[in-house]
Amino acid sequence: MNKYHNYLLNDLSSDRETLVELLTSQDPILRETLFDKAVMARNLHAGNKIYFRGLIEYSNKCNKDCKYCGIRVDNTTTTRYTMTDNEVIEAARFAWNNHLGSVVIQSGERSDKAFITKITSLLEKIREATNDELKVTLSCGEQTEETFRTWFKAGGSRYLLRIETSNSGLFETLHPTDGKHLFKTRLRALESLKKTGYQTGTGVMIGLPGQTAEMLAMDLTFFKNFNVDMVGMGPYLETEGSDMNDAVNQWNQAERLELSLRMIAVLRLLMKDINIAASTALQVIDPEARIAAIHCGANVLMPNITPLQYRESYQLYDNKPGLTMDGAQNVHYWEEQIKHTGCLPAWDEAGDPLHYYNRTRKHESELIQ
Ligand code: SAH
Ligand code: SF4
């Protein structure tokens, strides 16, 4: 037992100073204790199962121009694609047949009527093709509350929309000042998602140019105050197609990876019953990093099940892994990897975040009083 045990075991204080220390301390014993306690907290409050979401990268057509992103509209070197209905249904059926329990449909952001109708019909078709047993998460950017409601009714039950950074000043440096990339719009979209009834997920990029450890600590506080159900966060990575490669970054890649693992562990201690993903971006820095994230309290993995011919074109960042591993190989790979983590793969389970039920039940009991 070392001096840090009690400090981390009791309800972790979310004051900024404590959080910054946990994110940056050079003390190896503090680091090890943090990771151990995060794993204990996950096992106790969320379980020791790893939930799968088959990732379907539906389309790289995007109307936004987020400076950091490889598929932003102004990057003319990208070959644009949209999967056919059949390809999407086949991917969903693959996930269902291979016991993944759920899928994520991720896409560049479009808000035209044709896109909204298409996603609605894909949701309906997936329900039909998988006996209404496959849970679908959407990650298709900012939409109006009406669109969120339409997709919710059609069968989308979870939504991932990263805040990217909870610091509005930093957010502004990452996006064009054209009125279409506003921090307050992002925030409002997240609020609409919750109001609509989605299991709501958000997240940030870690190690951005201009980002400080204090800002990351505030991101953790943001997740807690916003009462999110799921978080997916990972290191910021350079990409050739981006519009910010001239920006000086004070974080090297090893530091971004370390910060990412610590963010996961501290968040697990702050929000014990949420779902936390071991994001794909981690793996770009270190092939073992997604498993390392499980050793820090993560409980969700997203094997890529996008048809191979599209993988190259969905490069949010450079050196994205898994360009050649098809869905079946990917599932098998993760099954083998999980064996070494002390966790169990959650086959055929939707893997709803317990936090969602805890917060909505609490809300209901408050309404009754
Ligand atoms: N268009 C949707 C979904 C696709 S982008 C949306 O923006 O929500 C999904 C996530 O990829 C973004 O939220 C962002 O956090 C991440 N991303 C984009 N470019 C990145 C980069 N260069 N490094 C790390 N993550 C990146
Ligand atoms: Fe489009 Fe999402 Fe990339 Fe922004 S982050 S450019 S919305 S795909």
Side-chain angles (χ1 to χ4, degrees), residues 59 61-62 64 66-71 105-110 139-142 159-164 186 203-206 208 232-239 242 244 256 281 314-318:
S59 172
K61 293 187 182 162
C62 185
K64 287 284 188 75
C66 310
K67 292 184 186 172
Y68 42 84
C69 179
I71 63 170
I105 298 182
Q106 197 181 74
S107 167
E109 185 182 307
R110 281 175 52 192
S139 176
C140 302
E142 284 166 14
Y159 206 104
L160 290 173
L161 180 65
R162 287 184 174 182
I163 189 78
E164 314 297 359
R186 181 65 57 102
V204 292
M205 285 177 284
I206 299 165
L208 287 157
M233 54 185 172
Y236 160 70
L237 298 162
E238 283 80 8
T239 166
S242 101
M244 50 188 271
R256 293 180 219 172
Y314 200 86
Q315 296 262 32
L316 303 173
Y317 38 78
D318 292 346

Side-chain angles (χ1 to χ4, degrees), residues 255-273:
E255 288 165 338
R256 293 180 219 172
L257 174 58
E258 178 65 19
L259 275 174
S260 300
L261 295 178
R262 293 204 195 191
M263 286 285 283
I264 290 172
V266 179
L267 179 62
R268 175 58 72 196
L269 291 173
L270 286 175
M271 302 188 78
K272 299 186 174 75
D273 56 357

Side-chain angles (χ1 to χ4, degrees), residues 29 40 43 45 58 116 129 132 140 201 229 283 315 333:
I29 298 173
M40 267 169 76
N43 293 350
H45 298 274
Y58 171 58
I116 294 165
D132 211 357
C140 302
D229 303 306
Q283 205 176 327
Q315 296 262 32
Y333 173 80

Side-chain angles (χ1 to χ4, degrees), residues 176-303:
T177 46
D178 56 1
K180 290 197 299 187
H181 298 75
L182 298 176
F183 182 75
K184 64 173 186 212
T185 314
R186 181 65 57 102
L187 211 51
R188 216 178 296 133
L190 275 169
E191 275 155 11
S192 299
L193 284 168
K194 240 172 135 186
K195 195 169 141 203
T196 309
Y198 282 94
Q199 296 173 14
T200 306
T202 190
V204 292
M205 285 177 284
I206 299 165
L208 287 157
Q211 193 177 39
T212 62
E214 283 75 16
M215 289 178 189
L216 289 168
M218 295 309 282
D219 290 340
L220 293 168
T221 312
F222 172 81
F223 300 147
K224 176 119 178 133
N225 291 342
F226 199 83
N227 210 2
V228 291
D229 303 306
M230 326 178 283
V231 171
M233 54 185 172
Y236 160 70
L237 298 162
E238 283 80 8
T239 166
E240 245 176 73
S242 101
D243 189 25
M244 50 188 271
N245 286 335
D246 294 339
V248 178
N249 198 335
Q250 69 279 35
W251 308 103
N252 65 35
Q253 288 216 336
E255 288 165 338
R256 293 180 219 172
L257 174 58
E258 178 65 19
L259 275 174
S260 300
L261 295 178
R262 293 204 195 191
M263 286 285 283
I264 290 172
V266 179
L267 179 62
R268 175 58 72 196
L269 291 173
L270 286 175
M271 302 188 78
K272 299 186 174 75
D273 56 357
I274 64 169
N275 279 350
I276 306 179
S279 69
T280 314
L282 288 163
Q283 205 176 327
V284 174
I285 301 184
D286 177 348
E288 305 293 324
R290 279 212 267 180
I291 290 300
I294 292 177
H295 287 295
C296 294
N299 67 336
V300 169
L301 273 172
M302 293 164 54

